[in-house]
Amino acid sequence: MQPSMFNVRVPLGDRPGEQSVFLMNTFTDAQLIVSRDVADVLDRVGQEHARFSPEERDVIGTLAENGFVVESREADRQALEQFFHSVREDRGQLRITVLTTLQCNFACDYCIQGDHGDYNKHAAKMSLETAARTAEWAEQRLDAIGPESFVLTFFGGEPLLNLPVLFYLSQRLWESCQQRGVRMQINMITNGLLLSSEIVDRLAPLGLNAIKVTLDGDRDTHNRMRPLRGGQGTFDRIVNNVRQVAGKCRISIGGNFDEDSVESYPALLDFLREQEFADKLAKVAFKPIIKPLQAAKPKGLIPLTAISAEGKPLGGACMTSAGTGVSSVCDNCNFLDEKMTFLRDETVKRGFPTVDGVHMGPCEIHKHHAHTVGPDGSLYACPGFAGEAKESTGHIDGREEAWRQQAARRFDVITAWKECDDCAFIPVCAGGCSVAAHTELLDMNKPNCHKSSFEAGLITLARQAAANAEPALIG
Ligand code: SF4
Ligand code: SF4
């Protein structure tokens, strides 16, 4: 017997008589508030020649039931392998993200898409014919996997720039799911400029679940970061659109910050709090912008940028998404980890639901039955890689091409967490965001570590647990 490698703890209270400890096991997700004595018993488990009283043995039994005490380190490791295998092979849910277009009506500062130059003239848009083939392929996946639920997410570029495809896929796949007895949900990640009640009303009977809209800071900062061509601001129009649809479906607010914009977020939160739709927001969560780390590049090598036939960089998916998925820790700078914690606390202070900073993964890149479809029908392992043509893992028409098969093999062996030794956060982190690792470390299979962010999230979680006194108190 020994303590699990996935145990984490936060001491609570520092006055005599209040020396309790928050214990969490990241593998079983058990959370307990225990006395200092119980934490000491846990520390003694596994020590040579340790002796326990009958009461302490009972405590060890309870800890073992919750996964805090395991047979051996080997048992923990085997359970972890089994866990990632079951995440990978899980057939309970089929997830498909469709990029209706790579075109965008914004010219975001940090993004190579949008109305920069004549980008949109060349950016791909899904045709109705490709949409029909995508639906056929999705139906084949539904039949092959037999899931209980199907999650269809629309993304881009800006997905609302291709409404015919968006409506077609929603309607057809809703009917396909009805025929098969599968529960369907629609999600959308949009810049919000074209969001309207009409769109929401049309999608609502087809399983519309959630819409995520991005606001990059307070009005001035957002207008600087996410303008239209010509520099016109977009903040007021987006907020007005959110006002029209809040309450009709779950609306989340996301945002991308960097060192220059982070200080404007408290003002954004104050602004949102004052809105009549504040209590209808399902989630408010912000993340750092992913930036290539020049310093991480090997010396003596000239970094390659894929260039299209027109001499333009090949666009990836909208950078609004990269690193958000389930995880949102996608920058390897401690400064930004601290700022993420700061913004999470500011968000909680104003009463908005947000991510807890601990339950972040594994994200969909680790799931075999989660796919992203580009506008031309190319398949990708996750939305963050979509549009980067050489990372395509297949095609909806089943064509067999060596380069796609090679890419698929690269994604099949993504196990960055194997380099994480005994880190207690592996079950909820899985080695971090592979897109961020690819962009910043030039190797998608390296850990992109934000342990300090998890540790800070854990402290917040412990304080909330203590305040709610929800977890069982033993000892
Ligand atoms: S690898 Fe990164 S961008 Fe892709 S799903 Fe995971 S967290 Fe999201
Ligand atoms: S990337 Fe860092 S926090 Fe995540 S599992 Fe690895 S060592 Fe732990």
Side-chain angles (χ1 to χ4, degrees):
M1 298 271 264
Q2 69 173 81
S4 164
M5 67 184 261
F6 305 118
N7 293 346
V8 284
R9 67 174 67 183
V10 178
L12 297 168
D14 47 10
R15 282 175 291 168
E18 279 193 20
Q19 300 236 331
S20 51
V21 175
F22 173 78
L23 289 182
M24 177 179 178
N25 184 280
T26 61
F27 185 73
T28 62
D29 200 25
Q31 298 170 33
L32 297 174
I33 294 174
V34 302
S35 68
R36 181 70 248 176
D37 293 345
V38 170
D40 290 343
V41 169
L42 182 57
D43 288 338
R44 279 163 47 220
V45 171
Q47 282 177 7
E48 232 182 314
H49 311 305
R51 295 270 176 279
F52 298 99
S53 67
E55 292 77 27
E56 287 175 335
R57 274 187 233 286
D58 285 348
V59 165
I60 293 171
T62 306
L63 290 172
E65 276 167 26
N66 288 283
F68 293 99
V69 173
V70 294
E71 211 178 288
S72 61
R73 181 54 42 99
E74 193 44 36
D76 259 344
R77 292 215 164 273
Q78 271 177 14
L80 190 65
E81 293 276 355
Q82 182 55 41
F83 167 69
F84 278 109
H85 177 77
S86 52
V87 166
R88 186 155 196 82
E89 300 306 327
D90 179 24
R91 290 171 168 255
Q93 188 175 74
L94 173 65
R95 302 179 68 89
I96 297 180
T97 299
V98 176
L99 275 65
T100 65
T101 177
L102 290 180
Q103 294 175 355
C104 184
N105 44 1
F106 278 20
C108 298
D109 202 34
Y110 47 80
C111 182
I112 59 168
Q113 295 189 15
D115 280 335
H116 295 291
D118 57 356
Y119 173 83
N120 278 332
K121 272 195 219 149
H122 307 276
K125 194 170 186 177
M126 187 176 277
S127 64
L128 275 170
E129 193 205 339
T130 305
R133 285 192 285 126
T134 300
E136 234 169 79
W137 169 82
E139 286 157 359
Q140 284 162 10
R141 299 309 305 148
L142 285 168
D143 290 336
I145 297 163
E148 284 158 29
S149 64
F150 171 55
V151 179
L152 176 63
T153 301
F154 290 111
F155 184 46
E158 169 47 41
L160 295 179
L161 286 176
N162 195 353
L163 283 176
V165 158
L166 189 141
F167 288 141
Y168 170 82
L169 283 173
S170 301
Q171 182 69 44
R172 173 154 168 188
L173 290 172
W174 171 257
E175 284 162 15
S176 311
C177 283
Q178 292 290 98
Q179 284 158 11
R180 291 164 175 81
V182 175
R183 206 171 59 248
M184 172 163 152
Q185 282 188 344
I186 295 175
N187 296 327
M188 194 195 309
I189 301 165
T190 167
N191 61 34
L193 195 77
L194 301 175
L195 188 59
S196 68
S197 286
E198 292 71 39
I199 292 171
V200 169
D201 290 345
R202 184 145 171 201
L203 294 177
L206 307 176
L208 180 61
N209 172 54
I211 296 179
K212 181 177 165 191
V213 174
T214 305
L215 291 172
D216 278 355
D218 64 4
R219 179 185 280 109
D220 287 351
T221 312
H222 173 94
N223 284 343
R224 178 167 48 79
M225 299 284 281
R226 295 173 77 82
L228 295 173
R229 183 207 289 263
Q232 301 96 321
T234 54
F235 186 91
D236 290 336
R237 210 164 133 192
I238 296 168
V239 169
N240 196 40
N241 291 346
V242 168
R243 189 174 290 121
Q244 307 303 317
V245 301
K248 287 178 182 251
C249 70
R250 289 159 51 86
I251 299 283
S252 315
I253 301 290
N256 311 288
F257 67 84
D258 63 11
E259 296 89 332
D260 296 329
S261 64
V262 66
E263 299 303 334
S264 76
Y265 277 75
L268 168 65
L269 288 164
D270 286 338
F271 172 85
L272 290 173
R273 188 68 262 167
E274 284 163 12
Q275 305 307 306
E276 70 285 2
F277 58 76
D279 290 329
K280 294 183 184 146
L281 295 177
K283 192 161 86 174
V284 178
F286 309 115
K287 69 173 185 61
I289 294 165
I290 296 178
K291 292 176 183 166
L293 272 193
Q294 300 303 324
K297 291 173 183 168
K299 280 191 186 146
L301 291 182
I302 299 170
L304 298 176
T305 304
I307 301 287
S308 71
E310 296 82 32
K312 299 185 168 28
L314 293 177
C318 172
M319 292 308 286
T320 292
S321 154
T324 51
V326 183
S327 166
S328 49
V329 278
C330 284
D331 200 289
N332 67 354
C333 165
N334 279 339
F335 167 78
L336 290 173
D337 278 354
E338 279 166 27
K339 291 300 178 187
M340 250 178 65
T341 307
F342 162 72
L343 289 183
R344 195 167 54 236
D345 290 349
E346 293 292 305
T347 306
V348 170
K349 252 192 241 166
R350 288 163 180 82
F352 291 117
T354 189
V355 291
D356 66 17
V358 178
H359 296 90
M360 307 301 275
C363 67
E364 57 181 68
I365 208 159
H366 300 279
K367 299 177 184 175
H368 204 66
H369 301 302
H371 309 271
T372 296
V373 185
D376 68 343
S378 289
L379 294 170
Y380 298 91
C382 92
F385 282 105
E388 196 171 333
K390 68 181 175 32
E391 300 301 345
S392 169
T393 53
H395 194 279
I396 51 165
D397 65 11
R399 67 182 73 162
E400 293 187 0
E401 290 164 312
W403 63 276
R404 290 191 210 253
Q405 288 166 341
Q406 267 173 19
R409 282 195 289 276
R410 277 200 296 283
F411 285 99
D412 261 346
V413 295
I414 282 201
T415 44
W417 54 272
K418 289 200 172 173
E419 289 187 26
C420 296
D421 298 324
D422 288 352
C423 175
F425 292 105
I426 293 174
V428 287
C429 171
C433 172
S434 303
V435 172
H438 175 67
T439 310
E440 298 172 351
L441 311 175
L442 306 183
D443 185 346
M444 66 175 81
N445 208 6
K446 284 269 174 231
N448 182 258
C449 188
H450 295 270
K451 201 169 188 169
S452 57
S453 180
F454 280 96
E455 286 165 346
L458 185 69
I459 292 171
T460 312
L461 196 67
R463 287 192 189 137
Q464 280 168 358
N468 300 333
E470 277 285 334
L473 182 66
I474 62 168

